Amino acid sequence: MSRKLRNWCMIVVGMSLVMSAGGWTTGLAGESVWEEMAPRLMIRARTIGVLQYWLDVFERDGWKIQRHANREEYRLIDPTYRVWAKGEREECDQMLSRMVSAESSERDNREVVILVHGLGRCSVGMNDLADKFQEAGYRVVCFNYPSMHVELEMAASGLNGVIHAQPEGKKIHLVAHSLGGLVCRVATLKDTSPERVGRLVMLGTPNHGVEISKKLKDVPLVRDAIGPVGVQLLMGPESYLAKLGTPTVEFGIIAGAKGDERGYSPLIPGDDDG
């Protein structure tokens, strides 16, 4: 293994372990005794950044029901990321119905934009973009999925749950960064009612796979850190993405490169976006 590739792998593994342990900004405290004890003590504990383990499956007025990536457990969080219920899905549904009425969402006439983050990130990373859409008059939902712990299909099922949680007749648009674009592609292709989605915008999405994935797939630490989605990012005519199909909704792609023969990454031949 070359020195450059070894150093790059060490960086990826280090960042991955930190993000897996505690979400996008926290350390190892993450999903600990505090989150377990707070609901029993009736303390509305903040999630403290452990979003890397949780998949949004329902959303109403900023309140979310999430499913854990590794076990059949759900929780209800409010717009400030405080936990109000944890355990069975039914328990979370009941608590949500007491806290937020369905009629409040139906009275909001704004079109909905759902923002979908990329690999190793969480929904908080889309807040700046969310502010711009809100200023433009949209209602915004920042969708969260544990990108390093689940395959695209599971992430897409959660996204479809959030889409169908929006009131009937609402125009819903998807704006996704990097891996999030693939989640959106799978969601619209697997959904039985893709007409709920108006437009899809993909920002730097690796629709044909990731060149560097074939070099890293045989490096155990990197493969384990990236998770099951790593195999789905491989390139080639027999790859997962080659067989996925074209999005069934109106879509646009924004992508870039450095504009020379070398690109940003020394590990990828030719021009690239890093």
Side-chain angles (χ1 to χ4, degrees), residues 120-134:
R121 305 289 293 178
C122 71
S123 57
V124 178
M126 305 298 281
N127 282 352
D128 288 345
L129 187 57
D131 291 341
K132 299 298 182 182
F133 277 106
Q134 288 173 341

Side-chain angles (χ1 to χ4, degrees), residues 8-264:
W8 195 93
C9 291
M10 291 176 65
I11 293 173
V12 171
V13 171
M15 292 178 63
S16 300
L17 291 176
V18 171
M19 288 185 291
S20 296
W24 75 289
T25 56
T26 61
L28 300 176
E31 188 184 36
S32 61
V33 176
W34 174 246
E35 259 208 357
E36 294 294 333
M37 292 184 61
R40 303 173 194 171
L41 299 174
M42 298 306 291
I43 300 172
R44 303 310 174 194
R46 295 198 177 196
T47 61
I48 322 179
V50 292
L51 295 176
Q52 286 290 342
Y53 290 98
W54 294 90
L55 168 69
D56 292 348
V57 296
F58 191 90
E59 187 276 342
R60 180 186 296 166
D61 283 359
W63 289 69
K64 293 180 176 181
I65 294 178
Q66 300 179 314
R67 184 192 186 278
H68 197 278
N70 301 323
R71 56 181 181 266
E72 190 70 21
E73 181 178 25
Y74 296 85
R75 71 179 185 181
L76 172 67
I77 62 173
D78 67 17
T80 65
Y81 302 100
R82 294 185 184 277
V83 179
W84 286 77
K86 192 172 184 181
E88 299 292 334
R89 172 64 189 266
E90 182 179 0
E91 179 184 353
C92 295
D93 285 329
Q94 291 174 352
M95 176 65 78
L96 177 63
S97 64
R98 292 199 294 269
M99 304 305 298
V100 185
S101 67
E103 289 75 15
S104 61
S105 295
E106 295 173 355
R107 290 193 295 267
D108 190 337
N109 295 321
R110 294 177 294 173
E111 295 184 16
V112 179
V113 171
I114 300 178
L115 303 179
V116 187
H117 62 83
L119 179 66
R121 305 289 293 178
C122 71
S123 57
V124 178
M126 305 298 281
N127 282 352
D128 288 345
L129 187 57
D131 291 341
K132 299 298 182 182
F133 277 106
Q134 288 173 341
E135 290 171 4
Y138 293 93
R139 191 177 96 77
V140 182
V141 178
C142 292
F143 173 72
N144 193 81
Y145 66 103
S147 61
M148 302 169 76
H149 298 278
V150 299
E151 294 184 340
L152 290 171
E153 289 84 356
M154 184 172 179
S157 68
L159 177 56
N160 278 330
V162 171
I163 290 172
H164 288 282
Q166 308 307 309
E168 288 289 340
K170 285 285 184 70
K171 285 188 177 182
I172 302 169
H173 308 290
L174 306 176
V175 178
H177 173 241
S178 191
L179 182 67
L182 301 181
V183 175
C184 293
R185 280 180 60 187
V186 176
T188 57
L189 288 167
K190 301 294 184 181
D191 194 4
T192 56
S193 304
E195 65 275 3
R196 292 296 308 273
V197 176
R199 292 176 175 174
L200 163 63
V201 178
M202 292 178 275
L203 309 174
T205 294
N207 282 297
H208 298 290
V210 178
E211 175 72 26
I212 201 172
S213 62
K214 63 183 180 183
K215 298 180 181 180
L216 299 180
K217 68 181 180 67
D218 296 322
V219 182
L221 286 176
V222 177
R223 183 181 62 239
D224 295 341
I226 294 176
V229 75
V231 176
Q232 297 179 306
L233 295 177
L234 292 173
M235 302 176 69
E238 298 301 317
S239 67
Y240 174 87
L241 294 178
K243 299 177 181 179
L244 182 57
T246 304
T248 56
V249 301
E250 183 178 354
F251 69 94
I253 300 172
I254 300 175
K258 190 175 181 180
D260 59 24
E261 296 181 355
R262 300 183 61 182
Y264 288 99

Side-chain angles (χ1 to χ4, degrees), residues 204-205 255-258 263-265 268 271-274:
T205 294
K258 190 175 181 180
Y264 288 99
S265 174
I268 301 175
D271 198 5
D272 63 85
D273 62 358

